[in-house]
């Protein structure tokens, strides 16, 4: 089956400063904290990977975003395909770099340390 990623969209984006610092003052290495969930939805010849992400950074900002990637198939999506690893493991791995790049560029261009 031929599969292509055809679209990436940010459906929701909130970036705001927070008064709840996550920086562990006793640690020399502090990282952003995040929560992550994933949805997979199917249509006849398309399926969608939707990431829901919440990030709290060492710069005391909070980022909430929803990112949707659209995959197009050459054939009608079968029930067998829906039960394979591809839509739940491989497709998210293909879509994730788009999300990572967006968040990194967003934080850097907004004047904060880039979140990787």
């Amino acid at each position: 089956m031929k599969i292509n990623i055809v679209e990436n969209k940010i459906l929701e984006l909130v970036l705001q400063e927070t008064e709840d610092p996550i920086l562990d003052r006793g640690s020399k290495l502090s990282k952003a904290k995040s929560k992550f969930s994933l949805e997979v939805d199917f249509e006849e010849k398309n399926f969608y990977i939707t990431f829901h992400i919440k990030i709290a950074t060492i710069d005391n900002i909070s980022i909430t975003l929803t990112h949707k990637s659209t995959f197009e198939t050459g054939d009608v999506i079968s029930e067998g395909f829906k039960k394979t690893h591809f839509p739940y493991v491989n497709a998210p791995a293909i879509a994730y770099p788009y999300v990572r790049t967006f968040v990194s560029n967003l934080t850097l261009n907004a004047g904060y340390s880039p979140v990787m």
Side-chain angles (χ1 to χ4, degrees):
M1 177 184 300
K2 182 179 173 183
I3 301 170
N4 293 311
I5 188 167
V6 293
E7 185 174 65
N8 288 288
K9 281 187 177 179
I10 298 297
L11 303 178
E12 173 193 20
L13 175 62
V14 177
L15 183 145
Q16 60 189 17
E17 290 190 351
T18 178
E19 293 182 16
D20 185 20
I22 67 158
L23 183 62
D24 178 0
R25 302 286 180 208
S27 172
K28 293 189 180 198
L29 282 177
S30 296
K31 296 183 179 180
K33 294 182 181 178
S34 62
K35 292 183 181 180
F36 176 91
S37 66
L38 175 75
E39 289 178 31
V40 180
D41 297 302
F42 297 94
E43 288 183 352
E44 185 177 355
K45 287 191 172 186
N46 293 327
F47 67 97
Y48 308 92
I49 305 298
T50 305
F51 296 102
H52 301 280
I53 302 171
K54 292 187 178 195
I55 303 168
T57 76
I58 60 173
D59 289 329
N60 295 334
I61 61 169
S62 164
I63 303 166
T64 303
L65 74 95
T66 302
H67 178 277
K68 185 175 186 177
S69 293
T70 302
F71 288 82
E72 183 178 77
T73 64
D75 300 319
V76 173
I77 296 173
S78 68
E79 290 301 316
F81 176 79
K82 292 177 185 179
K83 294 178 183 176
T84 67
H85 284 10
F86 191 87
Y88 304 98
V89 177
N90 300 74
I94 292 166
Y96 180 74
Y98 294 95
V99 178
R100 183 185 63 220
T101 300
F102 177 81
V103 171
S104 177
N105 287 335
L106 172 71
T107 51
L108 181 64
N109 290 332
Y112 300 100
S113 300
V115 174
M116 300 293 175

